[in-house]
Amino acid sequence: MSDFNFLLFGAYPYIALAICLIGSWARFDLSQYSWKAGSSQMLSNTRMRLASNLFHIGIIFILCGHFVGLLMPEALYHHFISSGAKQLLAMVSGGFFGILCLIGLVLLIHRRLTDARVRATSNGSDVMILFVLLAQLVLGLLTIVASTGHMDGSVMVLLGTWAQSLVTLQPVAAAEAIASVSLIYKLHVLLGVTLFVLFPFTRLVHIVSAPVWYLGRRYQIVRQKGVKPAVPRAQRPRGYEAPVRETAAPVAVPGYATAKSESPV
């Protein structure tokens, strides 16, 4: 195993995670008003609902699939599924939801670049992160094509060993596990780790800001149609009336007349 391989796949993931945590804490502490998704739906609703739903449905399933597939130990899932069957399941389901996500992402990029109002309110990081996600998604779909050359699930086991070794703080074992896989998988992993570096500085921070506390909040009745209020409304207070100013008596100044003089007879 080379030192470069250890740096990229053994040490770099911890560096990326540290940047993600410290950067997110600093941004939330110093600039809370920027902690948002920056939705542009009010500016233009054209193709927004379709594109956003396709993208988010696809990306949520892909993230959950990666989390379960990479972090579940081989000895645990072998009780109900083999490595080859697990790989086939990942290829079919990941390919389906990956294509959904790709369609939604392409529509979102096209909308952001071609809609004048949305483009005017976008900054560089908004466009950049969309293209980074596009590159990562395309690499992920290409790994499905590469997986057709080895349907025994051996590469999936190596990738799972890499992720599990990182979680258990074994960077050397992680770098050794991924050293033998093909380049397309390494590029996909490397760009995925880089997303942790970009996380605190882009709109990706809204991923951890889901308003789940709304589920436990009591309902608020804003208006009831056709129901008269049980208690009559209180009489409205009188409007503000400015006080009448009293005119001060003129002060006599030597040399100046304080009143009109009578005409001489």
Side-chain angles (χ1 to χ4, degrees):
M1 179 186 64
S2 64
D3 294 337
F4 186 66
N5 183 79
F6 173 77
L7 177 63
L8 291 181
F9 303 103
Y12 180 53
Y14 294 108
I15 298 174
L17 182 61
I19 294 175
C20 178
L21 294 177
I22 297 174
S24 298
W25 171 79
R27 179 175 178 179
F28 187 80
D29 186 61
L30 301 175
S31 183
Q32 287 191 18
Y33 288 107
S34 69
W35 192 284
K36 57 183 180 179
S39 176
S40 59
Q41 186 172 1
M42 291 189 298
L43 299 176
S44 174
N45 199 27
T46 305
R47 300 184 303 276
M48 176 65 180
R49 180 173 300 179
L50 175 63
S52 180
N53 286 337
L54 288 176
F55 172 74
H56 284 94
I57 291 173
I59 200 68
I60 289 173
F61 183 90
I62 291 172
L63 290 177
C64 293
H66 278 66
F67 182 81
V68 175
L70 291 175
L71 297 182
M72 182 178 292
E74 184 181 5
L76 183 60
Y77 65 76
H78 269 181
H79 291 289
F80 52 89
I81 191 173
S82 64
S83 297
K86 177 174 175 284
Q87 175 178 323
L88 181 61
L89 177 62
M91 292 170 62
V92 174
S93 59
F96 174 75
F97 286 98
I99 291 175
L100 289 185
C101 186
L102 179 63
I103 296 173
L105 183 57
V106 170
L107 290 176
L108 288 175
I109 293 176
H110 180 267
R111 173 179 174 273
R112 187 164 293 275
L113 295 180
T114 58
D115 191 290
R117 299 183 68 188
V118 177
R119 187 71 180 91
T121 57
S122 303
N123 53 40
S125 67
D126 294 336
V127 178
M128 178 271 296
I129 197 62
L130 290 177
F131 279 100
V132 173
L133 290 174
L134 178 63
Q136 177 68 346
L137 186 57
V138 171
L139 285 174
L141 292 174
L142 290 177
T143 61
I144 298 177
V145 179
S147 297
T148 58
H150 41 77
M151 296 298 296
D152 57 349
S154 57
V155 175
M156 300 295 104
V157 172
L158 292 176
L159 293 174
T161 304
W162 168 79
Q164 294 161 35
S165 299
L166 289 177
V167 172
T168 56
L169 304 180
Q170 302 178 67
V172 176
E176 289 177 349
I178 204 173
S180 60
V181 303
S182 61
L183 180 62
I184 187 66
Y185 295 101
K186 290 183 177 180
L187 291 176
H188 184 56
V189 169
L190 191 61
L191 189 55
V193 174
T194 304
L195 285 173
F196 284 91
V197 178
L198 300 176
F199 182 89
F201 313 107
T202 62
R203 61 172 55 208
L204 291 180
V205 293
H206 79 280
I207 296 175
V208 296
S209 300
V212 294
W213 55 273
Y214 276 105
L215 301 176
R217 193 182 69 171
R218 297 181 61 184
Y219 289 103
Q220 295 180 351
I221 299 177
V222 180
R223 181 187 301 172
Q224 287 182 323
K225 294 183 178 181
V227 179
K228 295 183 179 180
V231 181
R233 295 182 180 179
Q235 185 178 3
R236 292 184 179 180
R238 296 178 60 188
Y240 174 76
E241 297 180 359
V244 180
R245 291 187 176 183
E246 296 182 358
T247 306
V251 180
V253 180
Y256 292 90
T258 57
K260 289 185 179 180
S261 58
E262 298 181 357
S263 301
V265 179

